[in-house]
Amino acid sequence: MDTVANNQSAAKADGKDTTLIYRQSRWTRLTHWIWAFSLFFMLLSGLQIFNARPQLYIGKQSGFEFNNTILEIGAENTTNGPRGFTEIFGHRFDTTGVLGWSGPPGQQTQRAFPAWATIPSYYDLGTARVVHFFFAWILTTTLLIWLIAGLINGHIRRDLAPRVSDLRKLPRDIVDHAKLKFHHTREYNTLQKMAYGGVLFVLLPLMIITGLAMSPSMNSVLPWLNEILGGRQTARTIHFTVMLLLVLFFFIHILMILAAGPINELRSIITGWYRTDPPAKHEQPTERSA
Ligand code: HEM
């Protein structure tokens, strides 16, 4: 198996006082691009599915006597014509043009998420569900492959498992990130470990579990799953919140890559090779950075 550990010696000195090291194994690279691709389709088809019922609720009860709606996207008639709105925890915002009421001038319609943010762009719940479930299985399988490969080749233990020293480095790391000062080393820094670990061990598994909890066929196989998540509607709300967190992660991820040096970062996640900073004068080269 191609592992980074087996390639510790694979470092190319290139006369620039920096070193190219083999940082990302082929399993990390392959699974990374498959889940990035899958999440794109899952997000857009998921928004189409949400459009079929553009409200989120908490709890197991529903009915006229309860008001457990925490989010609603809709449209209403006003003296200025139809307006789109988004209501979160009882606070209403005018979101005409994007959420609730959108479309080209003269052809605007009532829809929660606009046509450019959904797959398919027109209303078609059946197709959206087929796309969503297809990529959900690809994502789940890819995550399992990443987990098995990461346990075997040591990626999880070596690169992602938090250490006591990471906690000590955290304040310095936050200051460095705030100043957009990035160190190009073999290891992930503490914030990277927290962000990647959070995505791979918390957000994506939670996304899969809440997705399974919403499936009627799963309800008969694992009825307790729905119970422990607080009911189908709460599972749906968690699923949606995790989606928002993944979108937030995505934007920060891209910003950090642009700030840290996109060519070097992209080369590492495409080819595996990463250019590290020249060692500081007082530093002895270590087995990892050499
Ligand atoms: C939904 C989309 C994405 C998700 C969820 C995601 C998530 C992740 C995660 C979890 C890692 C760490 C992987 C590991 O160590 O096993 C990672 C690394 C990386 N990703 Fe993404 N990614 C996404 C999209 C992208 C895109 C579009 C790009 C490029 C423009 C990109 C570039 C990178 C790079 C360069 C690294 C290595 C970072 C480093 O070495 O510091 N990612 N990504």
Side-chain angles (χ1 to χ4, degrees), residues 26-64:
R26 80 162 71 110
W27 293 104
T28 304
R29 291 179 274 135
L30 187 70
T31 53
H32 175 272
W33 289 115
I34 296 177
W35 72 54
F37 187 77
S38 307
L39 282 171
F40 171 79
F41 284 96
M42 292 196 67
L43 171 65
L44 272 62
S45 55
L47 296 183
Q48 167 79 254
I49 297 171
F50 176 87
N51 274 1
R53 185 159 183 88
Q55 286 109 11
L56 291 179
Y57 312 92
I58 284 270
K60 293 180 194 165
Q61 292 169 315
S62 63
F64 292 119

Side-chain angles (χ1 to χ4, degrees), residues 43 47 113 207 238-248:
L43 171 65
L47 296 183
F113 286 97
M207 193 66 138
I238 299 173
H239 200 72
F240 189 90
T241 310
V242 172
M243 176 278 287
L244 291 178
L245 292 174
L246 280 173
V247 170
L248 179 71

Side-chain angles (χ1 to χ4, degrees), residues 115-116 154 164 172 174 177 247 286:
W116 53 261
V164 180
R172 169 98 245 155
I174 295 173
H177 273 75
V247 170
T286 63

Side-chain angles (χ1 to χ4, degrees), residues 161-170 190 193:
R163 300 199 175 76
V164 180
S165 60
D166 288 320
L167 214 59
R168 273 202 309 272
K169 290 183 201 152
L170 184 60
T190 309
K193 281 190 185 183

Side-chain angles (χ1 to χ4, degrees), residues 101-267:
W101 183 259
S102 60
Q107 296 168 41
Q108 290 182 311
T109 50
Q110 176 170 359
R111 48 180 300 148
F113 286 97
W116 53 261
T118 65
I119 287 179
S121 57
Y122 49 89
Y123 180 73
D124 183 351
L125 180 59
T127 305
R129 285 167 60 99
V130 170
V131 172
H132 202 72
F133 300 149
F134 174 74
F135 283 105
W137 285 115
I138 293 195
L139 179 75
T140 308
T141 312
T142 308
L143 209 58
L144 277 176
I145 293 173
W146 174 87
L147 185 68
I148 293 166
L151 287 172
I152 295 175
N153 69 20
H155 172 53
I156 294 175
R157 178 184 40 79
R158 192 183 50 243
D159 302 323
L160 290 165
R163 300 199 175 76
V164 180
S165 60
D166 288 320
L167 214 59
R168 273 202 309 272
K169 290 183 201 152
L170 184 60
R172 169 98 245 155
D173 233 36
I174 295 173
V175 173
D176 282 351
H177 273 75
K179 291 184 183 164
L180 294 183
K181 196 167 129 199
F182 297 98
H183 306 284
H184 303 92
T185 58
R186 164 77 191 78
E187 294 81 19
Y188 286 151
N189 59 52
T190 309
L191 288 177
Q192 273 176 311
K193 281 190 185 183
M194 286 167 64
Y196 298 156
V199 166
L200 292 158
F201 292 109
V202 182
L203 294 185
L204 291 178
L206 199 54
M207 193 66 138
I208 294 167
I209 290 168
T210 49
L212 287 175
M214 282 187 280
S215 148
S217 47
M218 268 296 146
N219 287 172
S220 47
V221 185
L222 308 169
W224 49 266
L225 193 60
N226 209 316
E227 260 326 286
I228 55 166
L229 287 167
R232 199 161 180 274
Q233 291 306 331
T234 309
R236 185 168 175 256
T237 300
I238 299 173
H239 200 72
F240 189 90
T241 310
V242 172
M243 176 278 287
L244 291 178
L245 292 174
L246 280 173
V247 170
L248 179 71
F249 164 83
F250 174 75
F251 282 114
I252 299 176
H253 190 45
I254 299 298
L255 278 179
M256 291 297 115
I257 287 160
L258 290 175
I263 304 226
N264 195 24
E265 296 292 327
L266 271 179
R267 182 181 42 228

